[in-house]
Amino acid sequence: MKINFKKSINHGFTLIELMITLSIASILLSVAVPSYRSFVQDSLLITQSNNFYSALALAKSEAIKRNIRTTICPSTTGTSCADSTTWSNGWIIFVDNNSNKSVDAGEQILQVTPAFTGGNTLTTTTKTVIFRQDGFSPGSAATFSICDARGSSYSKSIILSQQGRFRTETGTGSCS
C-alpha cells in the first residue's frame, strides 16, 4: 500500500504579515492625504482664477468686436448687477449700450457665471468693470483676489490695469 503525503498549501496571511502591511499602508496614507488635499485646493483655485481671467478676456474682446462698451459685474440673480464687491457669488457680462453699469431692457447678457464652490472667495474694491470699444478699462483698475481657507500666501490675484491689460500673480492677494 502506498501512502500519498501531499504538502498542504496555505492560502492567506499570517497575523504578523497583516500587521506589517497595515503599518506600511497607514504610514503611506499619513503622507499622501495632506498632499492630495493641497493638490485639490490648488486645482480649485487655479480653475476659478482661470474662469475669471477668461471672463475678463471675453468682456474685453466683445467690446472690441461689437464696437460697444461691455460691463462685467457681480450678480447673484444672473439678470442684474449686485451692489457688492464680492464676486464669488457669481457675475454677468453684458453689452452696456448706455454705459450706466446696469442691465436695461434690450441689453444683451453675454455670459452668466454661477457662484464659486469650495468656500473660496473672489473680492476686490470695485463693483463693475467696463471695457470700452478700444479695449481700455478706464476707472476699472483693480486687483481681484481669489482666496481659500489657507490664506493669502496661497491666493491667486488678477490685476487689471486701466489700459485693459490683466495679469495673474500667486500669493499676493488680500484675503480678509
Side-chain angles (χ1 to χ4, degrees), residues 11 15 23 37 49 60 65 94 115 139 144-145 152 161 164 168:
H11 298 286
L15 183 59
S23 298
R37 184 168 188 244
S49 173
K60 180 178 178 176
K65 180 177 90 173
F94 62 96
F144 296 87
S145 298
S152 60
S161 72
T168 60

Side-chain angles (χ1 to χ4, degrees), residues 37-65:
R37 184 168 188 244
S38 180
F39 171 76
V40 169
Q41 289 174 316
D42 288 342
S43 295
L44 184 59
L45 274 178
I46 290 168
T47 300
Q48 291 170 339
S49 173
N50 288 345
N51 286 344
F52 189 69
Y53 192 93
S54 296
L56 288 173
L58 175 68
K60 180 178 178 176
S61 68
E62 288 294 320
I64 295 168
K65 180 177 90 173

Side-chain angles (χ1 to χ4, degrees), residues 108-119:
Q108 182 182 6
I109 295 177
L110 303 173
Q111 184 183 60
V112 176
T113 304
F116 278 180
T117 58

